[in-house]
Amino acid sequence: MSGFLNDEGDLMIIEPEIAAFDASMPPGPPSTNDPVLRRANALAHDRRVFDLLGVTVAPVATEEHFVAVGGHPDVRVRIYYPTTVRQHEPTPGFIAFFGGGFVQGGIDYPSYDATYRRRAHDSGVAMLAVDYALSPEVRFPVPVEQGYAVLAWAHDHAEDLGLDASRLAIGGVSSGGNIAAATTLVNRDRAGYPLRLQILEVPSTDLTLRSIDAAAARSLTRLPGVLARQFLRPLVTSYLGKEKRTLARNPYASPLRAASHASLPPAHIFTAELDPLRGDGERYAEVLWHSGTPAASVRYAGQTHGSSGLVGISPGATRWHADVVAILRTLHD
């Protein structure tokens, strides 16, 4: 078992499976200013990592749609149905946003595709994976507007899509958790479509970066929190642009900064012990709870920001998946 002492003298444990996988992982994709090449490199890197995982892809049916977004680019949505053949009876649906720091990721990445297939298969809930636009070519608030458009579309066309409009939920991972949380705020402030719950996994909820957990940063990287902020700041700049200082306080960019968190869907928030963003998730759970929105936060010991995808390799990640599936299954009630 791998471990070390943090600055407070506490023993920090990393699951040996995670440590071994990290050591065997290929180097990350080279950076480039060409958006096409940059995204192709990132996709190729994800495929190499996926091959190392040796994941079995769950057999499910899929459909793809393009959703119009007023004043913004259309957005592609892939629906993963729980069975290999789309059923006629309506099923609960979960609108899902991938992670990638707002600059990479997508529903075609093997890792996310496998996750959505696995979760649909194991939970019996349809996954509506949103292929939102990436920065810096497309910036805030476009991904949030795309998220809201998908929610409205899923509700209005639920019968045609084989979904139950009264049993929809939403969630995302990392930057996708940011967009999911922001979408619930937009939805509350506009039409108020019914959402049963939200699942936010290692979410980024405060783009001012004031909620970075310095202790987690020091434990994982041996660097002070200020350097963790320096690492994350270019991602924020990419997403928000030149007006980042002002926009970072916008509640649709930083859901933690909203004036009110009342009347939002009940939240299940998952954080990782060795993740500097754990403060974002845990603080968000606190403000939701104090605003009267039911919220629960679980911190997974020995886990890093990206380790939840190591299902079948890391016991913690496998438990993480089981917990998400258990929550999704409540949509059948």
Side-chain angles (χ1 to χ4, degrees):
M1 181 169 291
S2 301
F4 47 82
L5 296 178
N6 67 8
D7 291 351
E8 287 73 36
D10 300 320
L11 180 62
M12 310 296 289
I13 301 297
I14 301 178
E15 282 190 359
E17 295 83 1
I18 293 176
F21 182 77
D22 286 347
S24 65
M25 211 166 52
S31 60
T32 171
N33 291 326
D34 183 330
V36 175
L37 182 58
R38 184 178 69 247
R39 289 167 188 173
N41 287 341
L43 179 57
H45 176 72
D46 185 80
R47 285 175 176 149
R48 290 195 297 272
V49 173
F50 182 78
D51 288 342
L52 283 175
L53 286 171
V55 175
T56 300
V57 177
V60 298
T62 63
E63 288 183 2
E64 292 203 2
H65 302 266
F66 282 88
V67 176
V69 185
H72 301 291
D74 295 350
V75 62
R76 183 166 60 118
V77 180
R78 180 180 297 146
I79 304 180
Y80 297 80
Y81 292 96
T83 58
T84 55
V85 178
R86 177 176 160 181
Q87 303 297 305
H88 294 292
E89 63 271 11
T91 182
F94 182 79
I95 301 169
F97 300 87
F98 59 84
F102 304 107
V103 300
Q104 66 180 29
I107 63 177
D108 292 325
Y109 276 48
S111 58
Y112 275 107
D113 179 71
T115 295
Y116 296 139
R117 290 175 183 275
R118 183 167 55 240
R119 290 183 175 182
H121 179 271
D122 293 354
S123 69
V125 173
M127 300 284 110
L128 286 74
V130 183
D131 201 34
Y132 62 86
L134 299 176
S135 63
E137 289 74 33
V138 179
R139 291 189 161 116
F140 173 84
V142 174
V144 178
E145 293 293 347
Q146 290 177 327
Y148 176 71
V150 171
L151 170 58
W153 169 78
H155 182 274
D156 294 343
H157 297 274
E159 184 175 355
D160 293 337
L161 297 171
L163 304 174
D164 184 341
S166 69
R167 293 186 289 168
L168 295 179
I170 195 168
V173 178
S174 190
S175 55
N178 173 291
I179 296 168
T183 300
T184 68
L185 289 167
V186 174
N187 180 55
R188 180 199 62 185
D189 297 343
R190 295 182 188 175
Y193 294 108
L195 280 170
R196 285 281 192 94
L197 57 86
Q198 54 183 317
I199 303 175
L200 308 178
E201 303 171 66
V202 292
S204 169
T205 64
D206 184 6
L207 297 189
T208 70
L209 302 181
R210 294 177 183 174
S211 299
I212 293 295
D213 193 314
R218 288 193 300 270
S219 298
L220 182 61
T221 66
R222 314 297 286 172
L223 296 175
V226 65
L227 294 186
R229 292 185 183 91
Q230 288 181 6
F231 173 78
L232 294 170
R233 194 166 287 120
L235 300 178
V236 173
T237 300
S238 179
Y239 182 50
L240 301 182
K242 294 180 180 179
E243 299 180 24
K244 62 181 180 180
R245 292 186 181 275
T246 300
L247 290 178
R249 295 191 291 273
N250 185 309
Y252 299 157
S254 294
L256 184 65
R257 299 289 163 181
S260 170
H261 296 87
S263 304
L264 294 173
H268 301 267
I269 299 176
F270 296 168
T271 67
E273 179 185 22
L274 303 175
D275 179 14
L277 286 180
R278 75 185 188 191
D280 280 44
E282 291 170 1
R283 286 191 63 193
Y284 197 58
E286 291 176 6
V287 299
L288 289 173
W289 182 260
H290 288 301
S291 295
T293 295
S297 176
V298 177
R299 181 192 294 183
Y300 289 84
Q303 303 302 303
T304 63
H305 184 74
S307 64
S308 65
L310 303 180
V311 177
I313 293 177
S314 156
T318 302
R319 173 57 187 266
W320 190 312
H321 167 72
D323 290 345
V324 170
V325 166
I327 295 168
L328 290 172
R329 285 177 177 166
T330 66
L331 295 173
H332 294 284
D333 298 338

